[in-house]
Amino acid sequence: SHGNKEVFSCRGILLAVQWFWDRGHKDITVFVPSWRKEQPRPDVLITDQHILRELEKKKIVVFTPSRRVGGKRVVCYDDRFIVRLAHESDGVVVSNDTYRDLQNERPEWKKFIEERLLMYSFVNDKY
């Protein structure tokens, strides 16, 4: 949301990570689809892509798998990665997604998502 739905803003990820880091949270994982590492196309803009590589080196960003089949990109359902890790590590999910489909998929995830989903917003560069 930092890129106003016009660009994928890697700086927004960094601002969010820094906000939690400054409050003493050190076990932070950000899931990003692996195709975000590719050269951006005019219809899929991305800014400050180098930030993703820096956060990956610090083991904060984890890229979810994707592959090409017949020239088309096939991506995994990364929401499952997010909810599973947070549930298994007794963490918090930071997202504006409500994960309704996953709430219905596993009963133990429903209560977890209801109680451990932290929604957010940006005001310019303020998280």
Side-chain angles (χ1 to χ4, degrees):
S1 65
H2 184 257
N4 292 326
K5 298 181 182 176
E6 295 170 12
V7 299
F8 183 84
S9 171
C10 300
R11 181 165 156 64
I13 292 173
L14 180 60
L15 290 168
V17 166
Q18 192 63 53
W19 190 90
F20 286 98
W21 191 265
D22 290 347
R23 281 150 185 80
H25 302 284
K26 303 302 181 206
D27 188 9
I28 299 170
T29 303
V30 177
F31 287 103
V32 176
S34 62
W35 61 268
R36 293 287 187 186
K37 291 193 277 189
E38 298 172 6
Q39 187 67 29
R41 299 185 331 226
D43 60 327
V44 186
L45 298 175
I46 183 169
T47 57
D48 299 314
Q49 209 169 14
H50 67 280
I51 291 172
L52 294 180
R53 290 187 295 277
E54 292 167 15
L55 291 174
E56 182 184 29
K57 286 178 191 171
K58 294 177 180 177
K59 300 188 185 300
I60 292 173
V61 162
V62 174
F63 289 99
T64 57
S66 68
R67 59 192 168 108
R68 290 208 172 270
V69 177
K72 294 183 87 175
R73 181 183 297 122
V74 177
V75 297
C76 71
Y77 187 51
D78 54 2
D79 287 1
R80 222 175 253 114
F81 282 88
I82 294 164
V83 173
R84 178 174 287 132
L85 177 64
H87 183 259
E88 290 174 357
S89 62
D90 197 30
V92 172
V93 175
V94 179
S95 177
N96 288 336
D97 188 332
T98 59
Y99 301 98
R100 286 197 199 289
D101 54 332
L102 293 179
Q103 288 185 41
N104 297 327
E105 187 174 298
R106 293 195 176 179
E108 67 271 20
W109 285 1
K110 180 174 176 40
K111 186 172 182 349
F112 179 81
I113 291 168
E114 287 172 351
E115 296 176 357
R116 296 291 187 98
L117 177 61
L118 178 62
M119 299 179 114
Y120 68 92
S121 63
F122 282 95
V123 177
N124 298 316
D125 280 348
K126 190 159 181 79
Y127 180 78

